């Protein structure tokens, strides 16, 4: 019997269509090849990065470069690169897990790795001509050359398209002269190649160029000093100045004025990879925290036995589990979408581009959620260590500093929040996601009489899934009414967009964990997954609270009179449990499990 084909939802459709647990990919589904890759990467991290933590913290940039070379020799820089250009040609999930497990040793290496493999190499594999790819990608895939990405300028940050750097065509039409200044350029100190964005004449959009950089022959390129940063201290970050830098016309990436599109799509990949880069950091922080809490005694008792500490261990673990569930769910959707397009005759380049673009909403959701979770995880880690956590002698202090950048780069979390909802609205207008139909249904249902039947919730997660369906209605009710009121002008109402995006984020994250756990319960048993069930329920409980708060904030800000009363009643109905979970019990179960294993163990 042929295996039934899973329905591959489009990006954003999770809101309006139900997903079966069989259709989500989970870390428990890693293939043997992926398991081997994961172990190889973990071993590399434990051997080459963790023991040298102090050197990274002391701004040893040469060490970052040296470890990057070793990663190149082992093929880790070329996991996503097609085999014909010297890479391993592995799928999207494998590139995610490489990024995940290589990133927890230090944010300095993680940033260098991410900037090189993602925004440094990816634009050429996705947008380069055959000649450009043959010339540059093999060097980047093996670590012979390192890449940097020059987009941000002193006056152009989130508004990336407003850059002032110029590219002027020579009289013979064979080359461009680039002039301008870029800042916060990761890997600037040791790169041999830069993806540089500049404006030609008065073009509306910027254009991308591949620019070689040779210290012996700098071609008008100069560097500022290394920036002194709060975290990621051994990640080379400099200003880059271009003074009549000559670049061959054939080094233009894609077409004239296509730079903004390249920048945005490269950042989509960067965003989901950034989420991956925050996952193993959380696992490691939790493990350090548990080990310390079981050893540290106060009042003749290990502090891990105190309820106040159990709360922290349980919440940290649940967030890590949920972030991992959602990240790999989205990664596999991207991988499947790429495969589907290749099957339909797209080139690898086109397939990968469109595959990632399809899930840009999920990429933004993950970037925001996981970067905020890793920060709170490190913060609670310091708290568990107490005074020791504030000392450079323990790993928590640097973990906290390194985590802080994750909410800023690859687009600030504020920008990504607005993007996620903005992109969803655009998809709805294109007819890719039907929001209007379901939103109208929800609005009409508010007029009807609610059912007072007590549902049968005897089956695992039946109430949680019903809650999720109601939370989706909350989003549709709030976003639908706001859209109806403001139409295209909704983009001017940033506070409403941010509140809507928080609802969107919580739905995706909570649902991902519940589906992962449900899938694994069907493979094993409720007993084997009881702690995962507890983490999924705990996260959903908090998600409901957040959604209720953000929903209320929105409704009372844009609706009034009868409409406001009606929607607030709807909100109350959509966020009400029939049977509340016992939160203290759930947390105790999770904390006892990590205590008994003395590590994050899921």
């Amino acid at each position: 019997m042929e295996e039934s084909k899973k329905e591959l939802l489009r990006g954003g459709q999770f809101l309006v269509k139900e997903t079966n647990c069989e259709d989500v990919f989970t870390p428990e589904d890693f293939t043997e090849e992926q398991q081997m890759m994961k172990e190889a990467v973990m071993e590399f991290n434990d051997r080459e990065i963790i023991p040298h933590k102090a050197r990274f913290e002391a701004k040893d940039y040469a060490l970052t470069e040296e470890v990057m070379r070793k990663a190149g020799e082992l093929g880790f820089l070329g996991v996503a690169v097609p085999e014909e250009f010297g890479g391993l040609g592995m799928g999207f999930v494998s590139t995610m897990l490489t990024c995940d497990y290589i990133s927890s040793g230090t944010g300095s290496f993680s940033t260098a790795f991410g900037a090189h493999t993602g925004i440094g190499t990816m634009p050429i594999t996705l947008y380069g001509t055959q000649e450009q790819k043959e010339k540059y990608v093999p060097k980047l895939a093996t670590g012979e050359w390192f890449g940097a990405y020059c987009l941000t300028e002193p006056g152009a940050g989130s508004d990336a398209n407003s850059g002032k750097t110029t590219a002027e065509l020579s009289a013979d039409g064979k080359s461009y002269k680039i002039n301008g200044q870029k800042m916060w350029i990761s890997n600037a100190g040791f790169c041999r190649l830069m993806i540089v964005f500049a404006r030609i004449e008065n073009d509306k959009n910027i254009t991308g160029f591949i620019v070689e950089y040779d210290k012996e022959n700098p071609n008008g390129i100069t560097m500022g000093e290394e920036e002194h940063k709060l975290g990621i201290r051994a990640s080379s970050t400099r200003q880059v100045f271009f003074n009549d830098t000559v670049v061959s016309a054939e080094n233009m990436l894609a077409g004239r004025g296509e730079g903004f599109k390249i920048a945005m799509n490269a950042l989509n990949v960067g965003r989901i990879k950034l989420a991956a880069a925050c996952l193993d950091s959380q696992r490691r922080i939790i493990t350090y925290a548990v080990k310390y809490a079981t050893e540290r005694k106060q009042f003749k008792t290990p502090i891990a036995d105190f309820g106040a500490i159990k709360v922290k261990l349980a919440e940290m673990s649940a967030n890590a589990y949920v972030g991992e569930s959602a990240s790999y769910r989205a990664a596999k959707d991207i991988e499947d979408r790429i495969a589907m397009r290749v099957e339909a005759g797209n080139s690898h380049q086109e397939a990968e581009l469109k595959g990632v673009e399809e899930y840009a909403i999920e990429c933004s959701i993950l970037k925001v959620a996981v970067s905020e979770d890793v920060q709170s995880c490190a913060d609670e880690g310091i708290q568990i260590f107490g005074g020791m956590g504030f000392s450079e002698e323990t790993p928590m202090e640097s973990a906290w500093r390194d985590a802080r950048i994750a909410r800023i780069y690859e687009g600030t979390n504020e920008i990504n929040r607005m993007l996620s909802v903005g992109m969803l609205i655009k998809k709805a207008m294109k007819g890719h996601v039907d929001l209007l139909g379901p939103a109208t249904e929800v609005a009409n249902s508010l007029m009807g009489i609610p059912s007072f039947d007590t549902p049968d919730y005897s089956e695992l997660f039946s109430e949680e899934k019903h809650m999720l369906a109601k939370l989706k209605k909350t989003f549709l009710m709030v976003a639908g009414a706001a859209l109806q009121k403001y139409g295209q002008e909704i983009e001017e109402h940033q506070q409403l967009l941010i509140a809507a995006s928080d609802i969107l984020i919580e739905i995706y994250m909570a649902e991902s964990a519940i589906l992962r756990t449900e899938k694994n319960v069907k493979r094993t048993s409720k007993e084997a997954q009881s702690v995962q069930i507890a983490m999924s329920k705990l996260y959903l409980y908090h998600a409901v609270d957040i959604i209720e708060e953000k929903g209320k904030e929105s409704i009372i800000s844009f609706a009034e009179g009868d409409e406001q009363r009606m929607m607030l009643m709807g909100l109350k109905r959509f966020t009400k449990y029939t049977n509340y979970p016992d939160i203290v019990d759930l947390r105790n179960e999770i904390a006892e499990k990590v205590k008994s294993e003395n590590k994050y163990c899921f």
Side-chain angles (χ1 to χ4, degrees), residues 1 4 7 32 34 36 68 113 149-150 167 192 212 252 255 333 346 371 391 395-396 423 445 458 522 558 592:
M1 203 177 109
S4 67
E7 188 194 357
E32 206 173 316
Q34 284 163 342
M36 283 164 65
M68 281 286 286
F113 179 85
Y149 180 83
C150 302
R192 272 296 312 268
E212 294 182 29
M252 184 189 284
D333 283 344
N346 285 120
S371 67
S391 162
M396 289 303 169
M423 290 186 289
S445 76
S458 52
K522 287 184 176 179
F558 73 75
E592 287 302 333

Side-chain angles (χ1 to χ4, degrees), residues 442-551:
V442 173
N444 293 340
S445 76
L446 295 179
M447 309 298 214
I449 297 164
S451 150
F452 293 107
D453 298 345
T454 308
D456 170 22
Y457 286 143
S458 52
E459 206 178 310
L460 175 70
F461 286 143
S462 48
E463 180 161 10
E464 285 73 17
K465 288 175 133 181
H466 190 215
M467 270 317 280
L468 279 169
K470 291 193 297 182
L471 296 178
K472 291 177 185 183
K473 285 181 179 176
T474 306
F475 180 87
L476 292 165
M477 171 180 76
V478 174
L483 257 177
Q484 211 164 3
K485 178 163 184 179
Y486 298 115
Q488 291 285 13
E489 249 110 79
I490 189 84
E491 295 202 349
E492 309 297 307
H493 299 269
Q494 292 194 349
Q495 294 188 44
L496 288 180
L497 284 178
I498 285 175
S501 85
D502 281 334
I503 298 175
L504 187 67
I505 288 166
E506 292 305 325
I507 290 169
Y508 188 72
M509 303 304 285
E511 182 181 72
S512 299
I514 285 167
L515 292 173
R516 172 188 182 180
T517 307
E518 185 189 11
K519 183 176 186 180
N520 288 324
V521 165
K522 287 184 176 179
R523 287 196 266 221
T524 54
S525 64
K526 273 190 198 174
E527 293 68 42
Q529 290 281 312
S530 75
V531 184
Q532 286 87 336
I533 292 169
M535 291 190 289
S536 305
K537 287 183 172 182
L538 178 62
Y539 189 93
L540 178 67
Y541 172 78
H542 292 311
V544 173
D545 264 0
I546 292 167
I547 289 169
E548 185 173 20
E549 182 200 333
K550 299 296 177 181

Side-chain angles (χ1 to χ4, degrees), residues 2 21 63 111 181 219 229 273 358 369 518 585:
E2 182 194 345
C21 70
L63 176 64
T111 301
Q181 172 187 4
N219 184 14
K229 308 181 294 293
K273 296 278 182 68
E358 178 63 55
E518 185 189 11
D585 238 22

Side-chain angles (χ1 to χ4, degrees), residues 167-453:
E168 190 188 340
L169 189 61
S170 61
D172 62 8
K174 287 186 177 168
S175 63
Y176 285 88
K177 260 188 192 158
I178 296 183
N179 282 286
Q181 172 187 4
K182 299 288 180 180
M183 71 191 301
W184 309 126
I185 306 307
S186 297
N187 295 354
F190 56 80
C191 70
R192 272 296 312 268
L193 178 147
M194 301 172 184
I195 309 290
V196 180
F197 295 91
R199 192 177 313 279
I200 301 171
E201 292 169 349
N202 293 321
D203 287 2
K204 178 172 170 257
N205 290 327
I206 48 182
T207 299
F209 293 90
I210 303 170
V211 180
E212 294 182 29
Y213 171 60
D214 181 355
K215 284 178 184 159
E216 307 302 311
N217 177 19
N219 184 14
I221 300 175
T222 51
M223 301 268 176
E225 288 297 306
E226 288 286 356
E227 300 285 351
H228 297 291
K229 308 181 294 293
L230 171 71
I232 57 170
R233 290 184 166 171
S235 147
S236 172
T237 313
R238 296 182 170 201
Q239 291 199 50
V240 181
F241 302 91
F242 299 95
N243 186 6
D244 285 349
T245 298
V246 179
V247 182
S248 159
E250 56 205 37
N251 272 27
M252 184 189 284
L253 202 48
R256 177 171 173 170
E258 298 281 297
F260 187 58
K261 195 169 81 181
I262 297 173
M264 291 305 98
N265 281 325
L267 289 175
N268 286 335
V269 183
R271 282 169 185 148
I272 187 167
K273 296 278 182 68
L274 179 57
C278 296
L279 294 175
D280 198 46
S281 301
Q282 289 179 77
R283 298 185 199 104
R284 204 171 274 276
I285 290 166
I286 295 163
T287 296
Y288 284 139
V290 177
K291 284 183 171 16
Y292 184 80
T294 43
E295 284 165 19
R296 170 79 171 161
K297 286 198 169 101
Q298 288 295 283
F299 311 103
K300 297 184 179 156
T301 309
I303 63 168
D305 291 347
F306 293 124
I309 301 297
K310 286 182 182 179
V311 171
K312 297 182 188 311
L313 295 176
E315 299 288 354
M316 290 156 83
S317 299
N319 286 343
Y321 176 77
V322 172
E324 180 185 63
S325 307
S327 298
Y328 284 102
R329 171 192 185 180
K332 181 67 165 130
D333 283 344
I334 291 173
E335 185 172 295
D336 289 345
R337 175 69 57 173
I338 292 169
M340 208 169 87
R341 283 190 162 269
V342 168
E343 250 170 69
N346 285 120
S347 66
H348 171 83
Q349 205 165 351
E350 184 69 1
E352 183 127 344
L353 204 55
K354 292 291 182 204
V356 174
E357 203 177 339
E358 178 63 55
Y359 296 99
I361 294 166
E362 286 79 356
C363 292
S364 278
I365 286 174
L366 288 163
K367 192 275 179 185
V368 172
V370 187
S371 67
E372 290 179 2
D373 284 342
V374 74
Q375 183 83 63
S376 81
C377 186
D379 200 70
E380 292 287 43
I382 288 180
Q383 200 66 13
I384 290 169
F385 271 69
M388 282 305 292
F390 205 70
S391 162
E392 286 187 8
E393 281 177 39
T394 61
M396 289 303 169
E397 172 277 343
S398 62
W400 185 86
R401 283 187 291 97
D402 283 352
R404 187 60 187 85
I405 187 61
R407 284 152 54 200
I408 298 170
Y409 57 17
E410 309 289 345
T412 65
N413 283 10
E414 291 69 28
I415 286 284
N416 272 291
R417 277 187 160 87
M418 290 184 287
L419 265 177
S420 59
V421 179
M423 290 186 289
L424 186 63
I425 292 167
K426 282 197 182 84
K427 280 198 152 202
M429 291 185 172
K430 281 186 188 166
H432 291 178
V433 177
D434 176 17
L435 284 187
L436 205 62
T440 311
E441 268 173 50
V442 173
N444 293 340
S445 76
L446 295 179
M447 309 298 214
I449 297 164
S451 150
F452 293 107
D453 298 345

Side-chain angles (χ1 to χ4, degrees), residues 45-233:
N45 194 13
D46 287 335
R47 185 183 70 238
E48 301 291 349
I49 301 172
I50 306 278
H52 306 301
K53 185 99 185 210
R55 286 176 63 191
F56 285 111
E57 290 310 306
K59 304 183 183 178
D60 191 337
Y61 303 106
L63 176 64
T64 302
E65 186 179 352
E66 182 192 320
V67 178
M68 281 286 286
R69 288 218 187 281
K70 289 179 178 171
E73 284 159 18
L74 291 170
F76 297 149
L77 302 181
V79 176
V81 172
E83 289 179 58
E84 62 172 309
F85 304 117
L88 298 178
M90 293 171 98
F92 201 83
V93 172
S94 298
T95 72
M96 276 287 280
L97 76 85
T98 305
C99 192
D100 175 351
Y101 287 95
I102 212 165
S103 293
S104 65
T106 163
S108 299
F109 179 81
S110 169
T111 301
F113 179 85
H116 172 79
T117 56
I119 50 183
T121 307
M122 191 72 72
I124 307 179
T125 56
L126 292 187
Y127 287 97
T129 60
Q130 189 63 20
E131 294 72 36
Q132 288 169 343
K133 289 190 287 191
E134 282 170 4
K135 183 174 180 184
Y136 295 117
V137 176
K139 289 184 164 76
L140 294 166
T142 55
E144 182 188 337
W145 282 20
F146 295 119
Y149 180 83
C150 302
L151 177 63
T152 306
E153 298 184 14
S158 297
D159 182 5
N161 205 27
S162 66
K164 305 264 187 293
T165 299
T166 59
E168 190 188 340
L169 189 61
S170 61
D172 62 8
K174 287 186 177 168
S175 63
Y176 285 88
K177 260 188 192 158
I178 296 183
N179 282 286
Q181 172 187 4
K182 299 288 180 180
M183 71 191 301
W184 309 126
I185 306 307
S186 297
N187 295 354
F190 56 80
C191 70
R192 272 296 312 268
L193 178 147
M194 301 172 184
I195 309 290
V196 180
F197 295 91
R199 192 177 313 279
I200 301 171
E201 292 169 349
N202 293 321
D203 287 2
K204 178 172 170 257
N205 290 327
I206 48 182
T207 299
F209 293 90
I210 303 170
V211 180
E212 294 182 29
Y213 171 60
D214 181 355
K215 284 178 184 159
E216 307 302 311
N217 177 19
N219 184 14
I221 300 175
T222 51
M223 301 268 176
E225 288 297 306
E226 288 286 356
E227 300 285 351
H228 297 291
K229 308 181 294 293
L230 171 71
I232 57 170
R233 290 184 166 171

